[in-house]
Amino acid sequence: MAKKPAKNANEWAISDREVTRKDFPPDFIFGAASSAYQVEGAAKEGNRGASIWDAFSHTEGNIVDGSNGDIAVDQYHRYKEDIELLSMLGFKAYRFSISWSRIFPDGLGTKVNDEGITYYNNVIDALLEKGIQPWVTLYHWDLPLHLHESMGGWLNKEIVKYFTIYAETCFENFGDRVKNWMTINEPLQSVVNGYCIGIFAPGRSENPSTDTYLAAHHQLLAHASAASLYITKYKEKQGGQIGLGLDCEWAEAWSDKPEDVSAAARRLDFQLGWFLDPIYYGDYPEVMRKKLGARLPQFSEEDKNLLRNSLDYIGLNHYTSRYIAHSTESPDGHEFYQTQEVERIAEWEGDQAIGGKGGSFWLYIVPWGIRKTLNYIAQKYNNPPVYVTENGVADEEKRSAQLHEMLDDKLRVNYFKDYIAQVAQAIRDGTDVRGYFAWSLLDNFEWCLGYAQRFGLIFVDYDNQLSRHPKSSAYWFMNFLKGDKGNNGKEE
Ligand code: GBH
């Protein structure tokens, strides 16, 4: 790319003063997030069954540093210490996921594993004791291995039934205390990386042009089935809410040319519309239907009814943004972008980029992108309640760094300040954003990238018994949240 975007993103820069807790309504909820396979460890304890991530990470060549989540950061044994840290920092919510194969080791839903129930009961009770709301994700990518091996996992429609049994078991056992549920985290990442590119479990890329859309279709139906069950049978009694977690990069048109403008719109349809249009408008976005034809599965009338109103809120996971240009060539090099006919541009002309570089090759720091994404959701889907359920950045790689250097994470402090200021701005713009979760409480197992990518507010010393050390960003949150009464009442 030898040209510059016509638009100057800096027009979206806002105020020079630092964001404060008072820029948000008193009942706005601030929390930190994690997921089971990334933090729990204890892979063979508590009668837990294997998941597709155990199999995938134990296959040579799949994880950059050859690691796996067998021990992870051992939250299974250290949850009390971690909850103590959350409380010290002043967070009022903790988003974590339940490992399906701890509840049903083979996924089949015939016999509940009591040890799994006990573990999550302990976590939930320990959180509530500290006045921290448990935000529970039912599926954060760790499908019981048996469901994959015996029936094809997400490629088989039967999975909807098993997911619903598992979800109901969770509502029944935990719903007296858990008031905030998320069915599935980032279906897009799990199907594109798992069934198209093959860099996530289950590591398939054999039929990218069909499997990807089929797996997503079944995740949507599983969401709809579990969420409508909750809404009709549990919501009133238990007084909670249920949502779906979607990841979205902001797509800024590369130029004002109509083909770039429509490429950017298409990109958003392939990220968010893929999952939200069926829920809000009863079918996949028109542009997906046109480009994918018969490769895109169809919804029955019954599916459509279940999907409609299957959400109390949208969980938005947002990290970064890209310029989007029209392209039939797919320099990104794979099926998924080829079908969309888009090119994602982060850097051009050698020295120009959409934003500063975070510690991961894929993450550019573009604070205004979160405001635009939130405003886009409000405008396109009639201003639904949204929680930012993940936002964060990895540390810069510092190979021989001393502990004190790793703890002084200025890059992350600035990232949070700037992104959170843009969330406040989105609220002033009129969007219904109700909460924000930092990813992640602790450094953890970053999927195919292993342990080298550290997203934590709290440093985990992998060379020293997994000891926990809050980084500057953790203390930034502590100051920011001072005096936060959370959902319990008025601000001081
Ligand atoms: C989220 O995914 C996940 O929900 C969370 O579990 C994860 O830890 C967090 O973000 C940070 O990544 O191109 O081969 O390097 C966000 C989507 C998926 C984007 C992985 C970056 C890198 C895969 N991320 N992807 S690769």
Side-chain angles (χ1 to χ4, degrees):
M1 276 291 158
K3 54 194 167 126
K4 245 188 187 169
K7 281 184 239 168
N8 180 2
N10 288 331
E11 73 194 75
W12 286 81
I14 52 164
S15 105
D16 23 18
R17 88 170 159 77
E18 195 173 320
V19 65
T20 71
R21 177 65 181 84
K22 289 194 169 30
D23 287 309
F24 294 86
D27 60 356
F28 191 93
I29 187 91
F30 280 97
S34 71
S35 92
Y37 191 71
Q38 294 181 274
V39 300
E40 278 182 10
K44 298 227 166 78
E45 288 176 59
N47 200 23
R48 172 183 179 275
S51 83
I52 55 174
W53 269 96
D54 294 288
F56 185 77
S57 64
H58 278 269
T59 305
E60 222 188 297
N62 283 343
I63 311 298
V64 172
D65 58 5
S67 64
N68 56 58
D70 285 3
I71 300 172
V73 299
D74 201 26
Q75 188 162 85
Y76 188 79
H77 296 110
R78 298 182 188 224
Y79 67 90
K80 285 189 184 142
E81 179 185 350
D82 292 344
I83 291 168
E84 189 64 53
L85 286 163
L86 273 163
S87 165
M88 175 193 94
L89 297 177
F91 285 110
K92 291 292 185 288
Y94 182 46
R95 176 177 169 236
F96 62 97
S97 78
I98 291 181
S99 157
W100 186 343
S101 59
R102 279 196 195 284
I103 305 299
F104 290 113
D106 61 7
L108 288 177
T110 38
K111 198 180 170 316
V112 180
N113 173 31
D114 293 333
E115 286 185 71
I117 301 285
T118 302
Y119 170 64
Y120 293 110
N121 271 335
N122 290 342
V123 171
I124 291 163
D125 291 343
L127 286 166
L128 291 173
E129 237 166 72
K130 297 275 176 194
I132 301 170
Q133 301 176 2
W135 281 63
V136 174
T137 301
L138 292 170
Y139 186 73
H140 200 123
W141 308 351
D142 46 356
L143 184 74
L145 183 62
H146 181 73
L147 288 180
H148 176 68
E149 289 183 334
S150 65
M151 48 169 276
W154 289 110
L155 297 175
N156 186 333
K157 195 172 177 188
E158 287 284 291
I159 193 81
V160 174
K161 179 178 86 192
Y162 295 116
F163 182 73
T164 309
I165 295 171
Y166 157 60
E168 178 153 32
T169 304
C170 293
F171 303 149
E172 266 171 3
N173 281 279
F174 310 126
D176 57 332
R177 288 151 296 150
V178 172
K179 305 301 168 194
N180 295 283
W181 297 97
M182 178 186 285
T183 51
I184 296 181
N185 177 73
E186 299 187 0
L188 181 140
Q189 293 296 326
S190 93
V191 304
V192 171
N193 290 322
Y195 296 87
C196 177
I197 309 177
I199 57 168
F200 278 11
R204 289 178 55 99
S205 53
E206 291 87 334
N207 307 304
S209 65
T210 49
D211 282 0
T212 312
Y213 302 100
L214 191 62
H217 193 72
H218 293 149
Q219 292 203 0
L220 258 173
L221 296 181
H223 157 78
S225 166
S228 45
L229 177 72
Y230 181 77
I231 291 168
T232 53
K233 194 167 161 195
Y234 293 92
K235 187 181 155 94
E236 204 185 338
K237 190 169 67 185
Q238 299 184 338
Q241 56 174 351
I242 192 157
L244 172 65
L246 300 173
D247 57 295
C248 187
E249 301 178 352
W250 176 247
E252 182 75 7
W254 173 253
S255 80
D256 288 335
K257 281 196 217 136
E259 67 260 39
D260 286 343
V261 172
S262 75
R266 199 155 66 235
R267 166 73 176 143
L268 289 166
D269 273 338
F270 268 82
Q271 274 220 286
L272 277 183
W274 190 358
F275 304 97
L276 289 181
D277 278 28
I279 293 172
Y280 286 95
Y281 301 122
D283 206 346
Y284 290 118
E286 196 189 332
V287 69
M288 290 189 81
R289 285 182 276 142
K290 237 166 75 192
K291 293 216 181 291
L292 290 159
R295 291 156 56 190
L296 198 60
Q298 306 225 334
F299 295 110
S300 67
E301 282 312 306
E302 197 193 334
D303 295 339
K304 288 184 184 178
N305 284 335
L306 270 189
L307 277 159
R308 216 178 295 268
N309 305 317
S310 65
L311 277 187
D312 292 319
Y313 72 90
I314 294 168
L316 172 70
N317 294 356
H318 177 91
Y319 291 87
T320 192
S321 296
R322 292 286 187 278
Y323 283 107
I324 299 293
H326 176 80
S327 166
T328 47
E329 305 266 295
S330 182
D332 275 294
H334 61 74
E335 178 68 33
F336 187 57
Y337 295 109
Q338 202 132 19
T339 306
Q340 294 174 56
E341 300 191 299
V342 299
E343 180 186 5
R344 294 155 79 226
I345 303 164
E347 294 183 8
W348 60 98
E349 286 187 344
D351 57 349
Q352 297 195 62
I354 189 166
K357 202 84 172 72
S360 323
F361 65 89
W362 58 272
L363 206 167
Y364 293 79
I365 302 172
V366 188
W368 50 268
I370 197 168
R371 175 180 171 198
K372 286 198 168 187
T373 309
L374 290 165
N375 288 355
Y376 171 84
I377 293 172
Q379 176 254 315
K380 175 118 197 224
Y381 300 102
N382 195 21
N383 208 9
V386 177
Y387 293 84
V388 175
T389 38
E390 288 182 23
N391 177 238
V393 65
D395 289 305
E396 292 160 288
E397 187 90 46
K398 292 183 204 153
R399 290 214 166 270
S400 53
Q402 304 276 309
L403 180 60
H404 68 87
E405 291 175 70
M406 292 302 291
L407 297 186
D408 191 15
D409 57 342
K410 296 188 184 70
L411 177 98
R412 182 174 294 100
V413 170
N414 287 324
Y415 180 99
F416 282 130
K417 269 187 206 166
D418 293 346
Y419 271 73
I420 289 173
Q422 294 282 344
V423 175
Q425 187 57 46
I427 296 173
R428 289 192 283 268
D429 295 338
T431 70
D432 189 6
V433 193
R434 299 187 181 184
Y436 174 96
F437 291 76
W439 182 272
S440 182
L441 178 64
L442 302 151
D443 292 336
N444 61 50
F445 178 71
E446 179 55 15
W447 309 111
C448 57
L449 302 175
Y451 292 98
Q453 293 267 307
R454 294 173 173 275
F455 274 86
L457 300 174
I458 294 169
F459 182 87
V460 176
D461 194 341
Y462 297 115
D463 300 324
N464 184 16
Q465 295 168 25
L466 304 176
S467 56
R468 273 78 160 139
H469 307 268
K471 303 178 192 176
S472 301
S473 56
Y475 292 114
W476 180 82
F477 264 107
M478 190 164 97
N479 272 321
F480 174 80
L481 293 171
K482 252 187 203 138
D484 179 9
K485 293 274 184 273
N487 269 355
N488 306 327
K490 290 203 201 82
E491 232 181 330
E492 281 169 332

